Amino acid sequence: MPVIEVRNLRKLYRAKPAVADVSFTVAKGEIFGILGPNGAGKTTTVECVTGLRRPDSGTVRVLGLDPRRDGRRLREKVGVQLQQCELPGRLTVREALELYASFYDDPADPARLIRRWGLTEKRDTPFGKLSGGQKQRLSIALALVGGPDIVVLDELTTGLDPQARRAAWKMIEEIREDGVTIILVTHFLDEAERLCDRIAVVSDGRIAALDSPRGLVARSGNGMSLRFRTPVPVPDGLLTGLPEVREVRRRGDQIAVAGGDDVVQAVVGTLTRHQIRLHDLMVERPTLEDAFVALTGRTFED
């Protein structure tokens, strides 16, 4: 049984749909990604799922509970890290965790969370003096202080430098290892591809596709491509005659070949049999961005 079920969710702002007929389920223990550009409706969707907003129509069930009707019971089971969350500047890390722990009947130990999320040296530091990465660590700890079954992470790594982002990715994987189900809201393609078991691609308030990262990439229809140079000329027919090859392009002494999933093996095998060596070989596969363009007809930046 899924731990989250969303059916025909719809939310309007000034008669304009921010979320339009969205449906999905989330299985226990998975990292479920909601991916889309800013303004696509991602945050509104999770706010309806967590009970922070009331949908105009549709049904939402989280652990069998209605987020609006059973909000108090659900808050004991779901932790939320919001996209924009500020604490009083003078509140220390330790005070914040102890305060949040007081909201629950059976909270996690704040001292243990401080140690686990690398905040020991900052436990008496005011929130206003924490770095961006330290604030994100505290935000995760606050989302976990109630010992939730599900945690929602909304744009967790926005504004972080590359090193801090990768540290946050490791934290997310550690949360899942504890058996916690994760909804990861992000507009970072590499983040979704790296972490998520399944991804809902959201565009203009609708789900354009829902699949595993590999499944979404396969649906782009772009196949594989490779670029290389050779010390001797390669006859055009040698490559264009291969059934796996869709296109051959030349730029100076560089050859670019595009085709299906087996095109790399076919090209390399053919040239090897003809004793033609490849230099500067680069292999490219479709990305989530290619999949987004193919599924929505728009670039991700648009």
Side-chain angles (χ1 to χ4, degrees):
M1 180 180 295
V3 294
I4 297 174
E5 297 179 88
V6 177
R7 301 294 181 198
N8 307 116
L9 180 67
R10 187 175 178 83
K11 179 65 181 177
L12 303 176
Y13 294 131
R14 297 179 181 177
K16 181 179 179 180
V19 177
D21 199 31
V22 164
S23 299
F24 61 88
T25 62
V26 180
K28 181 178 180 180
E30 77 172 328
I31 300 179
F32 183 86
I34 300 180
L35 172 70
N38 293 327
K42 307 185 302 296
T43 295
T44 299
T45 297
V46 296
E47 287 178 342
C48 291
V49 168
T50 56
L52 295 174
R53 292 193 185 274
R54 185 186 297 276
D56 293 304
S57 62
T59 60
V60 178
R61 292 293 180 270
V62 181
L63 298 169
L65 302 173
D66 183 320
R68 299 296 300 181
R69 188 180 63 237
D70 306 309
R72 181 176 178 82
R73 292 172 61 193
L74 198 59
R75 282 191 289 273
E76 294 283 339
K77 300 175 180 294
V78 178
V80 182
Q81 171 267 324
L82 295 173
Q83 182 175 353
Q84 294 184 357
C85 181
E86 290 293 327
L87 295 172
R90 295 184 179 180
L91 192 70
T92 67
V93 168
R94 177 177 52 81
E95 290 169 340
L97 280 163
E98 290 176 350
L99 174 63
Y100 273 56
S102 70
F103 301 155
Y104 298 93
D105 294 330
D106 186 23
D109 179 12
R112 179 177 176 274
L113 287 172
I114 287 173
R115 290 194 301 271
R116 176 170 186 182
W117 297 109
L119 293 167
T120 300
E121 295 181 358
K122 298 295 180 179
R123 62 181 178 274
D124 295 318
T125 300
F127 179 80
K129 294 187 177 181
L130 297 176
S131 68
Q134 291 160 356
K135 288 179 179 178
Q136 295 298 63
R137 288 175 179 270
L138 175 58
S139 184
I140 292 176
L142 293 174
L144 296 174
V145 73
D149 297 318
I150 299 170
V151 65
V152 177
L153 304 175
D154 189 1
E155 301 288 6
L156 176 67
T157 62
T158 297
L160 299 185
D161 61 53
Q163 184 176 357
R165 285 185 67 215
R166 291 188 176 275
W169 293 354
K170 187 174 185 296
M171 295 179 216
I172 293 169
E173 292 170 337
E174 290 177 5
I175 294 170
R176 198 255 286 276
E177 289 171 2
D178 290 339
V180 178
T181 302
I182 299 171
I183 293 184
L184 179 65
V185 181
T186 183
H187 66 273
F188 291 121
L189 294 153
D190 57 341
E191 184 167 280
E193 189 166 13
R194 160 77 179 268
L195 296 172
C196 297
D197 299 300
R198 291 187 302 139
I199 300 171
V201 177
V202 180
S203 177
D204 294 327
R206 300 179 182 274
I207 292 182
L210 199 166
D211 207 334
S212 67
R214 183 185 295 256
L216 291 173
V217 168
R219 290 165 66 174
S220 72
N222 288 343
M224 302 283 288
S225 64
L226 65 160
R227 289 180 287 137
F228 56 89
R229 292 180 172 85
T230 59
V232 297
V234 177
D236 286 342
L238 189 62
L239 299 180
T240 56
L242 296 173
E244 296 87 355
V245 172
R246 183 174 66 245
E247 180 184 17
V248 177
R249 290 179 287 108
R250 297 176 183 270
R251 178 177 294 177
D253 62 345
Q254 185 183 73
I255 301 174
V257 183
D261 292 340
D262 298 328
V263 68
V264 177
Q265 181 178 354
V267 169
V268 172
T270 297
L271 294 179
T272 300
R273 285 194 298 274
H274 285 78
Q275 298 183 341
I276 300 175
R277 291 180 296 171
L278 287 79
H279 297 301
D280 303 326
L281 174 64
M282 295 185 64
V283 177
E284 299 176 351
R285 66 181 181 87
T287 65
L288 270 182
E289 185 166 7
D290 296 323
F292 186 88
V293 172
L295 293 165
T296 67
R298 302 169 57 191
T299 66
F300 201 77
E301 290 75 12
D302 293 339

